[in-house]
Amino acid sequence: MFRTALRNVLAHKARLLMTVLAVMLGVAFVSGTLVFTNTISQAYQKSSAKGFDQVDVAVTAKYQDSEGDKVGKTPELTQALLDKAGKVPGAASATGVVTGFTAIADKDGKLLGSGWQSEGGNYWGTKDARYPLVSGHAPSGRDEVLIDSKTAERAGYKVGDTVRISVDGPVLTPRISGIFTTDDGNVAAGGSLALFDTKTAQALFGKKGAYDEIDVKAATGTSQTALRAALDQALPSKLVETTTGKQLADDQAQQISSSMSGLKQALLVFAGIALFVGTFIIANTFTMLVAQRTRELALLRAVGASRRQITRSVLIEAFVVGTVAGVTGLVAGVGIGAGLRSLLSSFGASVPDGPLVVTPGTVVAALAVGIVITVLAAWLPGRRAAKIPPVAAMSSVHAKATTKSLVLRNTLGALFSAAGVAVVLAATTMDTDAAEGPMGIGAVLLIIGVFILTPLLSRPLIAAAAPVLRVFGVSGKLARQNSVRNPRRTAATASALMIGLTLITGMTVMAGSLQTSIDKMASSAIRADYVVSMASRSPLSPDVAKKIAADSDVTASSPLRNAVSRVDGQTEFLTGVNGSAIGELTDLKVDDGAFKVGGTQVVVDQDRAKDYGWKAGSQFTVHYEDGKAQKLTVAGVYEGNDMLNGIMIDNDVLTPHLRDASDMQVMVKTADGASDSVKDRLEKALGSNPAIKVQDKQDISNDIAKMFTTMLNMLYGLLGMAVIVAVLGVINTLAMSVFERSQEIGMLRAIGLDRAAVKRMVRLESLVISLFGGVLGIGLGVFFGWAAGELLGTKMATYELVLPWGRMTVFLLLAAVVGILAALWPARRAARLNMLSAIKAE
């Protein structure tokens, strides 16, 4: 039986090729994902570990928790603590570290790197071992700066050049005193690093005389553990905490691994989708192969082969196919991993150097996925073939499914579908976090249910295409009949395409609805013409708001200043605003009282009012970060949203209680409204700063929507894998269908159907099956998009369902194109059959 199984594999090489390709693509995606993420993760881990070579123990400030009316805060690491740490027994040296956002502009004035990856820090003394100099000398004063070598190379800077830099708003123009190398992970990922002398860095980052971290180097012969114990004994444990350099490297490695796990899981999900779609193809292929060899299997049974041996022979074939697909998929996956890494570089992202990492786990996973998926998909056809009595098989009386089996299948499909719909509908009424699990379970149940019901659904839906098919005469009529002749095969073929289009349509519906909702939120909540903020979303200097207010074109402006406070023993964030102007800059619906901010009068959003039981006229006591308390009055309760919410208080009242006042953004209204010329004037007034964004309402909406658009485009690309697998499935089904109907096609040719008509018949059959899958996929996608939108609507008041009719039409056309392309080879093969040979075929 083993030899028989191997001969069958070799005898049907062409028929099994599509199956191997389908499995191979899925395996390649799995192994490619593992190779890519392991390679990137290891490269970053090795790079970051080098960054801790000069750190044996790091001393950081310990956050003081909020308690009662006391606002939590982080104590400063003072010069006295630094001096004390450097004198601890076993310490060779102690270095004070200062860090903060620092944007560097290129020679055209544009921001270098991503905003959040643009960092700044301090260079310790005249020779800092952390940052070896390539050229130049250490910086001194506000007029000198060091930049990393990768940034210098990208922008074409050299020692002596003047560079535009921004820390919190105002533009600085220091001279580059030197260029250094670094193993900093942000720089490796395409960011930038600028270094000032310690005193300048402390002044620029608002940490005069203080440090963010103290790095202590151990003396020769002193271990990191011993040095940490000595520091713990010498330094106040209530104010600071210590961590060894090894622990820091391990923690960062774990952090990198965790951050990569999200990407790995996302990519593996799509690989799973491709494999799930491929499962239909495998099952379909083996079902047809077994059906074609029914008499052969019956003869084996008649000469003594048991049911187990028949099943085992089919599984051996599947094992061979799975092994071949697993090995080729692994090889292709290594190439995909290398390609994805190169793709990152083409997008401007820089990855640390390192070899491709192919772990034993990756090899095992690739082979296991290929073999297990193929064997499982082939098990049911093999078991079904073994159950057919030899006499019945030789007479082909087993060919049609019994009424009982069809009733059982339809009942099971209806139950699964009903359960899926019920669970999804129930999930839409739950809280967003609690609904994710039930929503996913309901979606899986519904997809399985629709797949089981697809043979039943195929007849009425394909029948609906009959009027159109009649236009093509006999070819159209035969195509329709062929499509419904074997509903199960049609269902398996259409389902592969259905799953891909379900996901694509659902995500498109959600993205389009979110875009519209964000547009509505921006237009309904903001009257301001512009909002000014940092590209990194870090705080703005108060000087920015002052410059804007002094502009002659500005009629009203207000900085939005965040501050932490305590209210009724709970931590609350206050938003400081210009009380006299905020009403002109926002358009928030007031449910109770009036939108009035000034003095001790504040406005609060609905959520805060509900939590604390406030209404217009209510009074409460707020405790500021400086420890002082004040009684405030609620002037009004407004409907908040994701852009504007919380407790709004006048900046004249809030600012005196803040140690370092800074703004998250500034809202601006101008005499001439929003226009390109006004925007240019504002940007020039702010010094044409590359780190500052001046955005109108549409810019804000587009900025938020850009995340969804980028993600959606990535998902389209990843789901394209499932569509490619679906195309292979359609080709496979049609090719085998043509083989099965060779005698029939020969007879049709003999009675006058020409080659062009045969091609047309096969193409129309493929088109009908593909459109059937497309209609089901788009229908399910709209339902899932609606359900997910219902959840989002509970968090976003402006959310509304928007059906992207244009894109859905494109998806349906895509399904049609898939059908036409998939039919090219089978149609050509059918038309070239020799009619006499075909008529004699069994």
Side-chain angles (χ1 to χ4, degrees), residues 378-514:
W379 175 75
L380 190 59
R383 186 169 174 270
R384 191 183 297 137
K387 281 187 173 182
I388 302 169
V391 175
M394 289 181 182
S395 306
S396 297
V397 297
H398 66 286
K400 292 186 179 179
T402 63
T403 303
K404 182 181 176 181
S405 69
L406 291 174
V407 170
L408 180 63
R409 179 179 180 126
N410 295 337
T411 303
L412 195 62
L415 289 173
F416 267 97
S417 299
V421 171
V423 173
V424 169
L425 291 176
T428 60
T429 63
M430 299 179 185
D431 184 68
T432 307
D433 295 331
E436 290 180 2
M439 183 74 78
I441 293 170
V444 171
L445 287 174
L446 181 54
I447 288 174
I448 292 173
V450 171
F451 168 66
I452 296 172
L453 284 174
T454 306
L456 179 67
L457 297 172
S458 64
R459 290 188 178 276
L461 287 177
I462 291 175
V468 178
L469 292 174
R470 284 197 196 102
V471 176
F472 298 95
V474 175
S475 296
K477 183 178 179 180
L478 290 171
R480 185 183 67 79
Q481 291 174 346
N482 290 334
S483 301
V484 296
R485 176 185 294 185
N486 192 330
R488 288 185 176 182
R489 184 190 302 167
T490 297
T493 307
S495 295
L497 194 57
M498 176 191 79
I499 292 168
L501 286 179
T502 295
L503 295 168
I504 291 173
T505 304
M507 290 169 184
T508 303
V509 169
M510 283 184 61
S513 300
L514 281 170

Side-chain angles (χ1 to χ4, degrees), residues 9 27 193 342 410 421 427-428 432 446 504 536 563 575 589 780 784 799:
V9 172
V27 172
L193 180 61
S342 300
N410 295 337
V421 171
T428 60
T432 307
L446 181 54
I504 291 173
S536 63
T575 301
K589 184 181 177 183
L780 283 173
F784 290 138
Y799 184 86

Side-chain angles (χ1 to χ4, degrees), residues 732-766:
N732 212 9
T733 300
L734 289 173
M736 292 197 173
S737 178
V738 166
F739 177 82
E740 279 185 346
R741 303 203 310 263
S742 294
Q743 192 176 49
E744 177 188 317
I745 292 170
M747 288 294 294
L748 290 171
R749 289 290 315 283
I751 61 175
L753 196 69
D754 60 16
R755 288 186 174 182
V758 171
K759 285 183 180 178
R760 195 179 308 120
M761 176 186 72
V762 177
R763 288 170 185 164
L764 288 173
E765 180 183 348
S766 175

Side-chain angles (χ1 to χ4, degrees), residues 62-80:
K62 185 184 291 184
Y63 178 74
Q64 309 297 301
D65 292 328
S66 303
E67 188 177 342
D69 296 327
K70 181 183 176 184
V71 176
K73 61 181 180 180
T74 303
E76 291 184 336
L77 296 178
T78 61
Q79 184 65 40

Side-chain angles (χ1 to χ4, degrees), residues 90-169:
S93 62
T95 303
V97 179
V98 185
T99 58
F101 169 73
T102 304
I104 303 176
D106 61 19
K107 291 186 176 180
D108 295 325
K110 295 180 180 178
L111 179 66
L112 275 170
S114 303
W116 62 273
Q117 292 174 322
S118 302
E119 291 290 329
N122 67 310
Y123 189 84
W124 191 253
T126 56
K127 190 174 182 181
D128 193 330
R130 299 172 299 167
Y131 307 112
L133 288 175
V134 176
S135 58
H137 58 81
S140 177
R142 293 175 69 95
D143 294 330
E144 289 189 341
V145 69
L146 296 177
I147 64 171
D148 67 90
S149 57
K150 289 184 183 293
T151 299
E153 183 181 350
R154 284 201 306 270
Y157 284 128
K158 58 183 185 295
V159 175
D161 289 346
T162 298
V163 62
R164 293 169 61 80
I165 286 179
S166 175
V167 172
D168 60 359

Side-chain angles (χ1 to χ4, degrees), residues 605-670:
D605 66 2
Q606 287 175 323
D607 291 340
R608 302 303 186 288
K610 183 180 179 180
D611 291 343
Y612 292 102
W614 294 336
K615 59 183 178 180
S618 297
Q619 292 188 324
F620 64 93
T621 301
V622 63
H623 295 264
Y624 299 107
E625 68 174 45
D626 63 356
K628 294 182 180 179
Q630 187 175 27
K631 186 167 284 188
L632 302 175
T633 303
V634 177
V637 179
Y638 67 92
E639 291 185 7
N641 55 50
D642 289 344
M643 300 180 73
L644 295 168
N645 56 59
I647 301 171
M648 291 191 191
I649 182 172
D650 196 295
N651 273 324
D652 290 341
V653 176
L654 177 65
T655 304
H657 300 286
L658 305 180
R659 184 175 63 184
D660 295 309
S662 58
D663 305 322
M664 292 311 297
Q665 56 188 33
V666 181
M667 303 179 77
V668 185
K669 195 168 184 63
T670 61

Side-chain angles (χ1 to χ4, degrees), residues 263-343:
L263 175 62
K264 183 187 292 187
Q265 288 173 6
L267 291 172
L268 287 176
V269 165
F270 289 100
I273 292 168
L275 285 168
F276 185 56
V277 172
T279 303
F280 292 120
I281 299 171
I282 299 163
N284 221 10
T285 301
F286 276 92
T287 298
M288 287 185 282
L289 285 174
V290 168
Q292 290 168 13
R293 288 164 38 210
T294 299
R295 293 191 179 184
E296 174 191 326
L297 296 175
L299 184 61
L300 289 172
R301 288 290 313 281
V303 296
S306 66
R307 287 185 176 183
R308 278 188 185 176
Q309 285 178 312
I310 295 296
T311 304
R312 201 178 300 140
S313 70
V314 175
L315 294 182
I316 290 170
E317 289 182 50
F319 178 82
V320 173
V321 170
T323 303
V324 172
V327 172
T328 54
L330 175 62
V331 174
V334 173
I336 288 174
L340 286 173
R341 181 172 173 172
S342 300
L343 192 62

